[in-house]
Amino acid sequence: QVQLQESGPGLVKPSQTLSLTCTVSGDSISSGSFYWSWIRQTAGRGLEWIGRIYTSGSIKSNPSLMSRVTISLDTSMNQFSLQLASVTAADTAFYYCARGTPHYGSYYYESWGQGTLVTVSP
Amino acid sequence: VLTQSPGTLSLPPGATVTLSCRASQSVYSSDLVWYQQKPGQAPRLLIYSASNRAAGIPDRFSGSGSGTDFTLTISRLEPGDCAIYYCQQDAGSSIVFGGGTKVEI
């Protein structure tokens, strides 16, 4: 069974870049056809989809964040990563990585990491 | 936009509860997903394609609906069903989540 684990700094200064990595175990990130995704959650905004990278490498991001988001795959490490530039306090949230399973042109998230809290503060 | 109602429900064990998820525009049933999230945990997939139960989900959980109106029904409520329930839609340019319904037992 696939497992995902987020890692990265828990504290980021305003205007800096938030960087998180999701390590995948139990399956190869380059096998099959999945949407490797980042989702965040705050008490105020609920669940917010950040973006995803397909196994082929194609990327789609939330239009509201697109200019600041970079998502990449590292097949040699079986990881994928998120970079969010120019962060503000509004980017403070729990960040989840998840694997999206394609289904009839859409996809659903069957596997999630446990989540990691990132706080943006001086 | 996905609007979930009510915001919070409080019901006794054994009851049946129906949660609503309303889309601002018509949604393909194949795009509608339900999750359960308990405190301190990541969301857990319950239902995909509006009515298909995910692996390991008991048949007390059922989904239905089409167009703009979808429902999640939980029958024979158990204390372990205390959670927030979210719906999700693939809006094309983005994945969208509803604001959630909290179920208290």
Side-chain angles (χ1 to χ4, degrees):
Chain A
Q1 181 169 334
V2 68
Q3 293 186 315
L4 297 89
Q5 177 69 59
E6 305 88 351
S7 60
L11 182 64
V12 181
K13 289 181 166 51
S15 80
Q16 293 189 342
T17 296
L18 178 160
S19 295
L20 294 174
T21 297
C22 183
T23 301
V24 179
S25 58
D27 196 8
S28 170
I29 201 169
S30 56
S31 69
S33 300
F34 295 104
Y35 293 92
W36 303 99
S37 305
W38 290 97
I39 295 157
R40 68 183 183 181
Q41 185 172 33
T42 63
R45 296 194 307 273
L47 289 165
E48 182 179 27
W49 183 78
I50 299 171
R52 58 79 170 160
I53 184 166
Y54 191 50
T55 308
S56 65
S58 72
I59 297 168
K60 182 179 279 190
S61 305
N62 189 320
S64 68
L65 299 170
M66 188 162 44
S67 63
R68 299 195 290 133
V69 168
T70 302
I71 299 174
S72 59
L73 277 177
D74 185 342
T75 55
S76 66
M77 297 293 290
N78 221 39
Q79 297 174 333
F80 64 103
S81 299
L82 168 71
Q83 289 190 312
L84 182 64
S86 306
V87 297
T88 69
D91 295 308
T92 294
F94 275 94
Y95 285 76
Y96 293 98
C97 58
R99 187 179 81 170
T101 299
H103 185 74
Y104 285 100
S106 184
Y107 48 102
Y108 51 81
Y109 293 109
E110 194 165 20
S111 301
W112 296 67
Q114 65 184 26
T116 187
L117 175 62
V118 179
T119 301
V120 178
S121 175
Chain B
V1 177
L2 294 177
T3 301
Q4 292 189 242
S5 61
T8 303
L9 278 170
S10 186
L11 292 155
T16 294
V17 62
T18 299
L19 311 182
S20 170
C21 176
R22 179 162 290 176
S24 56
Q25 295 180 308
S26 186
V27 173
Y28 290 114
S29 295
S30 59
D31 291 351
L32 203 286
V33 183
W34 289 93
Y35 299 93
Q36 175 195 65
Q37 187 179 31
K38 296 181 179 181
Q41 298 183 16
R44 173 196 183 195
L45 176 68
L46 290 178
I47 301 284
Y48 62 94
S49 288
S51 60
N52 293 10
R53 269 186 301 277
I57 301 302
D59 60 8
R60 299 187 299 105
F61 293 86
S62 62
S64 63
S66 62
T68 59
D69 292 300
F70 296 86
T71 59
L72 173 70
T73 299
I74 312 170
S75 58
R76 304 186 301 279
L77 272 173
E78 299 179 357
D81 297 333
C82 284
I84 301 177
Y85 294 83
Y86 295 96
C87 55
Q88 172 210 301
Q89 173 212 348
D90 184 348
S93 62
S94 181
I95 295 289
V96 175
F97 293 92
T101 292
K102 185 176 183 179
V103 173
E104 298 174 338
I105 312 297

